[in-house]
Amino acid sequence: MAEQRAQPIAVDRGFWTVTLVLAVLAVASIVFWILFPISKYLPEAIITARQVDTMFRFMAASGSALYVFIVGYLIYFSIAFRAKATDPPDAIGVQIHDNPKLEFWWTLLPAIFVLLLSVISVRIWYEILLEPENGLVIQAIGHQFYFSFRYPNVNGEITDEMHLPLGEPVTLNLTSADVIHGFWVPAMRLKNDTVPGLVTTIRFTPQLAGRYEIICTQFCGVLHSQMHKQVLVIEDRASFDKWYQGWQQRNAHVSNALPAAPGQAISLQGGDAAAGKTLFAQKCTACHKLAPFDQRLVGPGLQGVLHDPAHPNLVNGKPATPENVAGILQNGFTGSLGTMPNASANGLSSQDIANLVAFLNTLKL
Amino acid sequence: MAVASLAPDAGEVDQLYIETRELRLQGFLFFLISDCVLFSSFIFAYLYMRNSGQGWPPPGVQRLDVAFAAWNSVVLFGSGATMHYALENFKYGHFMRYMWFLLATIVLGVMFLGGQAYEYNHLIFGEHVTWAGSGIFGASFFTLTGMHGFHVFIGVCYLTVLVLQSAAGVYTRGKYFGITAGTLYWHFVDVIWVVLFSIFYLL
Amino acid sequence: MNAAIIERLGAVIAGIVVAVVAFYALYKDWNSTGVENQVFKLMLLLLGIGAILALLAGLNVVGFAPPVKS
Amino acid sequence: MSVAAVHSGGIADHIHPEPQGFIRRYVFSLDHKIIGIQYLVTGFVFFMLSGLLAETIRTQLLNPNGGFVSPETYNEVYSIHGSAMVWLVVIPLLTGGFGNLVFPVQIGARDVAFPWLNMLSFWIFPVSGLMLFSSFLMGAPTAGWMEYPPVSLQGQAGTSMWAAAIFLVGVSSTMTGLNFLVTILKMRAPGMTFTRMPLFVWGQFATAPLLMIATTALAAALAALFINREFGVPFYDPTKGGSPVMWQHMFWFYSHPAVYIMILPAFGIISEVLPTFARKSIFGYKMIAFSSAAIALLGFMVWAHHMFTSGLAPFLQLPFMILTYIIGVPTGIKIFSWTATLWGGKIHYSTAMLFAIGFVALFTLGGITGIFLAAIPFDLHVHGTYFIVGHIHYVLVGGSMMGIFAGMYYWFPKMSGRLLNETLGKWHFWLFFIGFNGTFIPMHWLGMLGMPREVATYDPQFTFWNRFETFASYLMTFAILIFFVNIIWSIRYGKKAGANPWGARTLEWQVPSPPHYYNFKHVPTVYGLPYDFSQPLPYKGLEEELTDSPPAVAAGAH
């Protein structure tokens, strides 16, 4: 190609004019994000929600200022340096390979910004983490496809909405009975997954009364999109207490034992066969008949399961002993017939398992 | 006849072979790296599960007895040493010694596989530890050692092919990348076993 | 004399042999060049370490030995 | 053997005869250019199928209660849409497709290092694609492209098929990465040092190790998922001691680098297109090249930023947040350099250039929202919402797909000998650009206001914007139809291109379109960077390429 080095282009007045315009636009966008009334669209229901919004304002303001400059220059250069009809067809641009000074600054400034951003986000994150630990301790449990709640001194799980008193710190322990769910309250800007076999904790203090959505954000099965619940933050302490005591009375006779976790040691001592019989009618008869082995519903008939010479082994191949039956009740089993849910899915505590095994042991062929 | 083929090439530098060998060597090393990542992922999975939750070994599983595994490991490590000397002897033109070392490697490899089969037999039927039925212990132990055993099996097949090819005179003193690759692979399989032996039996 | 002791004895004796051979080979190869030889050296080193581990396991220094049955 | 010994030249002097017969030439071809075109054709077929799935998703979301398909089908549709777009469209198009097609010529090689392996990698890809789509027949996976257990353990039979298909396509990627890496390391033309490689080659060079290493980790995760589902081995099953969070670690250890697999080659394409049409040297060559390597390296250290809500210990999350911020720096350097490249140019607005500029604008937005998501306090709010959906589409459609379109308009003449129609191309660009922004911008505020992702039905308060998005997405689909019409029309009737229609300066444009089977009659010697338009071309030994003379070295029998 011919030697046709074009003259270097000076940073001219057009450039500075455009820079000025972009600077004005960038400032305008920063002001926009500072003034934008986020809480008008989504209430800030807890104290730290405001911090998250501040974080967002900061990032949105700096991000849009940066974006204004990049896209602004992109458009300006695209127009100013387009090949014109008057240019010869083989005209070339100014061959600038690099500019160490410029490159140094546009590496250093983002690096400094990253440092600043790190400091800000760590600070705000610690404010979220360091919410007070004392206060109301609630456990939220994800199920397919609803959330339920355990309150101190209330037996069993509350499957209605979650109520919280205004201004009192809350420690929310999240776990799941089946698959991973996401526990998200948009108005609180808080979320954590409910993971089976794991307890994760979030803490917050409600600062605004109202009714807010709890939404599942982690795909959990076919009805995931309908997995909603509500949380009601109540300003009036008396009406919260009323609701709380109402549940205490309503659930007074519900068993409060936690389901047996996998791996937890289970004592079969003191199994109550009579209680096991009641429990069997509640929990097992959907899939199992009290009839000989070959009378199936979903699973086999369980009459004489521990005393059947024709079937000395259980479905998992282990000998039919009380301990192994308890193992299946505790851990469940998946085989060709389908899935026998485990204790946490069936809501069986270790005492329940002992009772059931005692009951099954009484059944003779 | 096979010995005759070990005579050096007729003085000429075969540029094409040199460059092709370079490519293959590089490619083979990269293959080993990605295979190593495969093992590392499962090892990570094992260590992660081991450290999350219920303590180790999980309820209902005995710790593994090291006695037989130590012997079996030494068998495999010994095969690494014989393979090393197989390659060395080939490089210096001692064809028959090379063949004997190669055969010894294969025998040791097969012995290791037999030992693994014995170990599996003992675990599954003696102690009722199975792949699917013994929780995360069975899952990680049988998956990792099974994967390794499969690699050893492939290696034994490869070395057998090497024996046949060498007998047919495929490799010469100037061109023996197949043997180098076999040695690399076999060493790799050995070294993976060092790690697996340590994390399953010693840790 | 039960099987476990024979296995351990085998592991110790063979472990010594393999470790010595591996480190001797490493020593002989120390100055070799080329990518594959660097890899070989690394592998021989690990091999020697593995043999020593197996040897220590045979000596009951590391690893687990169940209480002798019967 | 004896032929090779006669002339003691190496691979560069070793020309294989072009195989005759349709099957050997175009089906089971060993030629990297044909394999590249095969990847492109297959990838675009899968792109059309995934696009149909995308429109099913958007049509379902016209109404808050859905109603277009059942929730079960909807879940299957978006899962396969995501999986197919990632593994069957973007990754194969950018690595197998453009990578194969262009970079061996750009480094002055006659072929990739292992042509047979290359052919094998390609043929695994359509097979695994068919497997993935066939999972619809047995009940497709429903848990999204991430398939988190335990819900994926409950999934239908097709979930195992999904795992097998992705495993296979992963094997194909791994082999491609290995092949490319060896090719770039060992087969560059004389004088083609690392700092003289075109930036597209740098993109592939940074991508190849990611393909090779990260994909293997995914293979392990998928194998474990398959084993867990089919044989009940409890890797991920929490009721038997397994850990569902472990899947997330293994999956994201692959899938975060995968994000860079999907964008680094596109960066490379943009870095080729911008200087060519601005008639100007790329600004800051070294910084762009090295920042690719830096991004690839950092990409391995940030996977847990996808797991801020999964219950990790806070002190473990902190480094992942800060490292993710740091990735913004090399990415920013690239964006600034591209913008500066336009300064003082003589910009010609071909469609490829429009897509390249559009890429910079859209990808920057995706990058900025990526920094938002790295901030843990904000991520705790928007994780798992439509904000993420918006972000990922800005990066992967506004980024990778725009890069792919730019590459198609740029290199189509090289593969076919004909130019794509520019009028249709400009319609394609503008409709796509408008439709794209209309589809994905509202997702950001929808997510912030409370719309979770992967939902078949949604809160009626979001109806307006969802309808808006759906109609915009129809516009985008229409634009893509124009693109396909353009390709089919131009293969037949397009303007003849000649060797170098764009006046570009990298090596692939100095040989005929399409190039010979053996790429170069003589392998050229390289003297410098290709990008300075004021200098003569930095190659020697190319004089005969555009003449009719036969290659100097007789075809060797082999």
Side-chain angles (χ1 to χ4, degrees), chain A residues 121 125 129 190-193 200-202 218, chain D residues 148 245 248-249 252 301-325 370-384 388:
Chain A
S121 40
W125 188 40
L129 286 177
L190 255 190
K191 156 177 325 101
N192 226 323
D193 289 355
T200 52
T201 303
I202 52 182
Q218 192 66 56
Chain D
Y148 277 11
V245 178
Q248 300 177 17
H249 279 292
W252 288 117
M301 304 181 210
V302 294
W303 76 89
H305 68 208
H306 298 270
M307 300 166 59
F308 286 152
T309 65
S310 304
L312 302 183
F315 70 90
L316 283 176
Q317 301 183 10
L318 189 63
F320 287 101
M321 171 171 82
I322 292 171
L323 280 166
T324 311
Y325 287 158
I371 296 287
F372 285 30
L373 288 167
I376 297 176
F378 187 65
D379 186 65
L380 291 183
H381 178 45
V382 292
H383 180 90
I388 297 257

Side-chain angles (χ1 to χ4, degrees), chain D residues 18-62:
Chain D
E18 183 167 15
Q20 300 303 311
F22 184 77
I23 301 277
R24 288 298 308 281
R25 240 169 124 157
Y26 296 113
V27 183
F28 295 104
S29 173
L30 296 177
D31 180 4
H32 70 94
K33 301 179 288 296
I34 299 291
I35 293 176
I37 293 171
Q38 287 174 325
Y39 264 110
L40 288 175
V41 171
T42 323
F44 274 118
V45 168
F46 289 135
F47 177 60
M48 266 194 274
L49 293 173
S50 325
L52 282 179
L53 298 179
E55 286 313 326
T56 312
I57 296 172
R58 283 309 333 162
T59 309
Q60 164 87 354
L61 296 178
L62 266 176

